[in-house]
């Protein structure tokens, strides 16, 4: 169990360092770097290789409908390209595009700008490509490689914030799936699994702060994917025991689709909880399955004594998704 107050303090510290352009400190301190590196070398020898180095090409138009397509772009790391799958229809971009088309009753044109192995520092180039597609909605999955590559959290968050700002300035709605819980990866041994779990969730909370302040919305992957993947690793992980299986990617798409539809005003927003400091909301979201965090106002004001006001929207339902 990760303590929410501690995560909130870490999110505030990382976000503050990102805002002023400093390198900041790691979420766990410098001592964790040596441990992470040593254990990662061991884990790398035991983790198998996925199918290829990129996911199957999935760009195209989805949905059996006429009319002008909704323009959807996917950015980020291996999760955004569906690394480990062999069928384009099983990638999260295709799953989200098909679901969005059915709900909107319009075709969806998908452009995948993500790249396997990408860190947040590479989002700038991805945004350059994505903007050529004139997106109406952008979905970003990033963070895991920032942890495994030992990127300073403040630097990772700063790059993510800039990417969201550019997409928003171009008129796109933005939904970010925050850093997943790397503590569920079985080839990573203890105590590194505990270290990466804490590190992942602190980075996810800091990402939430940056994204909401930049005008986007986030979906918490940490506990949502952590619970499912930790309980059913054989089903949710692929052959390499690191990337998701087809069922795992379906779970990811299932978590994000309602927020995508909500951003495009195609889905009724769930009842919001009371407004609170963005840092506390971000920390709570890192612990709650599928929680979405968005900006809000209190008494007509966007900020309060402890920073921007935010609220959580609980979107997850109890049923697990299955392919039809």
């Amino acid at each position: 169990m990760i303590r929410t107050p501690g995560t909130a303090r870490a999110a505030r510290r990382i976000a503050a360092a990102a805002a002023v352009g400093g390198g900041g400190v790691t979420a766990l301190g410098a001592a964790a770097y040596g441990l992470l590196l040593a254990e990662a070398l061991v884990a790398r020898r035991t983790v198998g290789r996925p199918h290829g180095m990129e996911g199957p090409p999935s760009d195209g138009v989805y949905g059996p409908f006429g009319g002008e397509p909704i323009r959807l772009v996917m950015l980020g790391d291996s999760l955004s390209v569906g690394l480990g799958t062999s069928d384009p229809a099983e990638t999260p971009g295709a799953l989200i595009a098909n679901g969005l088309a059915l709900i909107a009753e319009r075709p969806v044109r998908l452009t995948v700008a993500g790249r396997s192995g990408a860190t947040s520092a590479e989002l700038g180039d991805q945004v350059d490509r994505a903007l050529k597609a004139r997106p109406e909605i952008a979905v970003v999955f990033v963070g895991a490689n920032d942890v495994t590559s030992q990127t300073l959290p403040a630097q990772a968050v700063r790059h993510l914030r800039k990417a969201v700002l550019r997409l928003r300035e171009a008129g796109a709605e933005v939904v970010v799936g925050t850093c997943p819980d790397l503590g569920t990866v079985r080839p990573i041994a203890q105590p590194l699994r505990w270290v990466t779990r804490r590190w992942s969730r602190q980075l996810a909370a800091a990402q939430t702060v940056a994204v909401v302040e930049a005008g986007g919305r986030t979906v918490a992957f940490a506990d949502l994917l952590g619970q499912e993947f930790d309980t059913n690793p054989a089903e949710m992980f692929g052959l390499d025991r690191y990337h998701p299986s087809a069922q795992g990617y379906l779970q990811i798409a299932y978590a994000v689709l309602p927020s995508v539809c909500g951003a495009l005003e195609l889905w009724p927003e769930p009842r919001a909880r009371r407004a609170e400091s963005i840092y506390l909301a971000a920390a709570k979201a890192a612990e709650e399955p599928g929680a979405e965090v968005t900006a809000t106002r209190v008494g007509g004001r966007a900020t309060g004594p402890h920073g921007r006001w935010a609220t959580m929207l609980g979107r997850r339902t109890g049923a697990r998704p299955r392919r039809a």
Side-chain angles (χ1 to χ4, degrees), residues 83-100:
L83 183 64
T85 64
S86 57
D87 185 350
E90 294 177 340
T91 63
L95 292 167
I96 294 170
N98 271 320
L100 177 58

Side-chain angles (χ1 to χ4, degrees), residues 143-302:
N145 293 319
D146 293 300
V147 175
T148 59
S149 66
Q150 307 171 41
T151 301
L152 291 174
Q155 293 179 355
V157 168
R158 184 162 63 250
H159 287 297
L160 176 59
R161 177 185 176 88
K162 289 172 64 176
V164 175
L165 283 171
R166 289 182 61 196
L167 290 164
R168 293 291 293 134
E169 289 168 357
E173 299 292 336
V174 181
V175 177
V176 176
T178 57
C179 182
D181 182 359
L182 297 181
T184 62
V185 179
R186 294 304 174 91
I188 299 178
Q190 294 288 15
L192 183 61
R193 287 179 65 189
W194 179 87
V195 171
T196 54
R197 170 161 288 171
R198 183 179 174 195
W199 200 334
S200 300
R201 297 194 182 203
Q202 289 185 354
L203 176 58
Q207 287 176 317
T208 296
V209 173
V211 169
V212 173
E213 288 183 339
R217 56 178 72 193
T218 61
V219 177
F221 275 2
D223 203 49
L224 174 68
L225 302 187
Q227 181 180 4
E228 297 284 0
F229 281 57
D230 208 23
T231 304
N232 304 293
E235 180 182 6
M236 305 302 287
F237 281 107
L239 294 177
D240 65 353
R241 296 185 291 162
Y242 184 85
H243 293 91
S245 63
Q247 178 62 31
Y249 280 120
L250 183 60
Q251 181 77 12
I252 291 171
Y254 170 76
V256 172
L257 180 60
S259 296
V260 169
C261 294
L264 293 173
E265 299 182 349
L266 298 171
W267 195 292
E269 299 281 22
R271 182 177 179 180
R273 303 178 188 178
R274 68 181 181 85
E276 54 195 348
S277 160
I278 189 172
Y279 304 107
L280 187 57
K284 288 181 177 179
E287 302 299 321
E288 185 159 332
E292 178 185 316
V293 178
T294 59
T296 190
R297 289 178 173 269
V298 175
R301 302 176 67 89

